[in-house]
Amino acid sequence: MENSDVLMNPSGGEMDVRGAIEPAIETNLMERVLSPENLHRAWRQVRSNRGAPGIDGMRIEDFPAYARLHWEEIRQSLREGKYQPTPVRRVVIPKPGGKGERLLGVPSVLDRVIQQAISQVLRPIFEPEFSEFSFGCRPKRSAHGAILQVKEYVKQGYRGVVDLDLEKFFDTVNQDVLMARVSRKVRDKTLLSLIGRYLRAGVYLRGWMGYFGISKLYGPIPELDSWLRRRIRMCYWKQWRKPRTRIGNLLRLGTPRQHAFSTGLSRKGYWRLSRTMATHTGMTNEWLAQQGLLSIRDLWMKVQGYDKKPVKLSSS
């Protein structure tokens, strides 16, 4: 961004937002997400919502100056599918009535702006699919509308009420199924990949490190990192399932042809094949990081105050 107005007021005046509520028909939705008009609306919404800083400590009022310096680089990384969301800050708040605790993840201000920009583009696509009797977190709908609907049911003679709640839905939802449903409507692969990275934004490792990062014992950490990467490679290998898919993916990721075919056709176990030349030259540490996998070593070094220089990952 050349100046703060590029994001906060790109056109120099009030925008006509009618185009933002029309369903998108083109496949390149990322360009609509990154349009100055859409980003302006997203920033205004995030600014009005206020909210606490994320894991990076940046406040709402600090964001314009940061954006002026870094936005062009951020926008390019988003277009190229290389942007890595910042892990969310874990916050625990008590539920009303002493009914336990609720875990919240607080994104950085930058990620809140990007997420809002994505929401503004996707909402017109998915909004028509929702029930007309759904009132939660939808435009021009609120709890007041739900109360009016209940009153109408009472007038019609209904007396029974069923109270249902999907406990910890967003903590336990199957992300593969969720992304499969989203991809039915969204064809932009760059945008789908970004949404997937947001779903895997590292709250779990961050939470773990929040408890155990105080330890000065470094010895087991590289081994934990290595085990975790191997485990993730095994999960991808299971997900790819068919030999043709495995071979094709390995070749696209840069695995030599001979290794891709010999490993892709192997009938050995998932865990054993997750530690082969083929899976390592294809699903490299750098590639795993691009998919959203965090390094325990990097997190530990940041907690210990050694994060001034980038840390090179081990080869395992």
Side-chain angles (χ1 to χ4, degrees):
M1 296 181 181
E2 296 179 0
N3 55 62
S4 61
D5 289 341
V6 173
L7 179 59
M8 291 181 284
N9 197 353
S11 62
E14 284 296 316
M15 292 167 28
D16 182 355
V17 300
R18 287 174 295 179
I21 61 175
E22 297 174 356
I25 56 175
E26 73 272 18
T27 57
N28 193 3
L29 293 177
M30 183 58 81
E31 288 305 312
R32 290 188 60 180
V33 170
L34 297 176
S35 69
E37 294 80 9
N38 190 54
L39 288 167
H40 166 61
R41 289 183 59 227
W43 163 243
R44 284 201 309 178
Q45 185 63 53
V46 171
R47 184 176 57 184
S48 67
N49 290 344
R50 303 298 298 171
I55 196 73
D56 59 357
M58 184 186 297
R59 302 171 301 171
I60 291 287
E61 53 267 33
D62 299 330
F63 180 72
Y66 175 84
R68 283 194 294 270
L69 292 175
H70 301 285
W71 180 248
E72 287 303 323
E73 178 185 351
I74 295 168
R75 179 164 55 188
Q76 188 63 26
S77 67
L78 285 164
R79 280 177 171 159
E80 295 176 354
K82 297 179 180 179
Y83 177 78
Q84 291 297 323
T86 303
V88 296
R89 181 167 64 87
R90 183 180 178 181
V91 177
V92 181
I93 62 174
K95 290 184 178 180
K99 298 180 179 179
E101 296 178 329
R102 187 186 305 277
L103 295 178
L104 297 180
V106 181
S108 67
V109 177
L110 172 60
D111 282 324
R112 297 208 292 267
V113 172
I114 297 172
Q115 290 172 8
Q116 180 64 30
I118 294 172
S119 174
Q120 290 167 180
V121 171
L122 295 188
R123 176 171 285 172
I125 300 175
F126 289 96
E127 178 64 23
E129 303 295 320
F130 284 89
S131 167
E132 62 176 306
F133 304 108
S134 172
F135 294 91
C137 301
R138 296 178 64 191
K140 299 182 180 180
R141 288 172 176 261
S142 66
H144 293 91
I147 293 173
L148 292 176
Q149 183 67 55
V150 170
K151 288 183 176 181
E152 182 61 31
Y153 288 145
V154 172
K155 289 180 181 179
Q156 295 174 14
Y158 291 97
R159 294 294 182 265
V161 176
V162 180
D163 185 12
L164 299 175
D165 180 33
L166 296 177
E167 184 179 5
K168 298 182 179 179
F169 172 77
F170 291 105
D171 295 330
T172 58
V173 63
N174 187 312
Q175 294 182 3
D176 291 335
V177 174
L178 178 61
M179 288 305 300
R181 294 298 182 93
V182 172
S183 65
R184 294 178 184 179
K185 294 280 187 178
V186 177
R187 301 297 183 184
D188 189 317
K189 293 183 178 179
T190 302
L191 182 54
L192 285 171
S193 178
L194 177 60
I195 295 171
R197 286 197 292 275
Y198 272 120
L199 291 174
R200 302 185 298 269
V203 65
Y204 300 107
L205 273 183
R206 286 284 180 181
W208 183 89
M209 189 57 64
Y211 287 108
F212 298 104
I214 194 173
S215 171
K216 298 293 184 180
L217 182 62
Y218 174 76
I221 289 179
E223 184 178 352
L224 286 173
D225 256 337
S226 178
W227 181 90
L228 183 59
R229 287 191 291 268
R230 184 177 180 183
R231 183 75 178 179
I232 297 299
R233 290 186 180 104
M234 185 195 76
C235 291
Y236 273 107
W237 196 250
K238 292 178 69 175
Q239 188 178 36
W240 292 345
R241 299 181 62 184
K242 297 181 180 180
R244 178 184 299 179
T245 304
R246 292 170 173 173
I247 293 170
N249 286 339
L250 288 175
L251 291 174
R252 280 189 288 272
L253 291 171
T255 299
R257 188 177 182 85
Q258 179 181 351
H259 291 295
F261 273 87
S262 62
T263 304
L265 295 173
S266 175
R267 299 176 64 88
K268 294 178 181 178
Y270 299 124
W271 183 247
R272 183 169 181 177
L273 292 176
S274 66
R275 195 174 186 178
T276 61
M277 179 68 70
T279 52
H280 275 245
T281 55
M283 292 178 278
T284 62
N285 294 349
E286 291 75 16
W287 182 82
L288 291 175
Q290 290 172 6
Q291 309 314 301
L293 178 63
L294 298 174
S295 165
I296 299 177
R297 182 187 182 194
D298 288 352
L299 293 175
W300 181 85
M301 293 193 74
K302 186 171 184 177
V303 170
Q304 297 295 328
Y306 300 127
D307 61 329
K308 304 302 181 183
K309 296 181 180 180
V311 179
K312 185 177 180 180
L313 296 172
S314 64
S315 59
S316 61

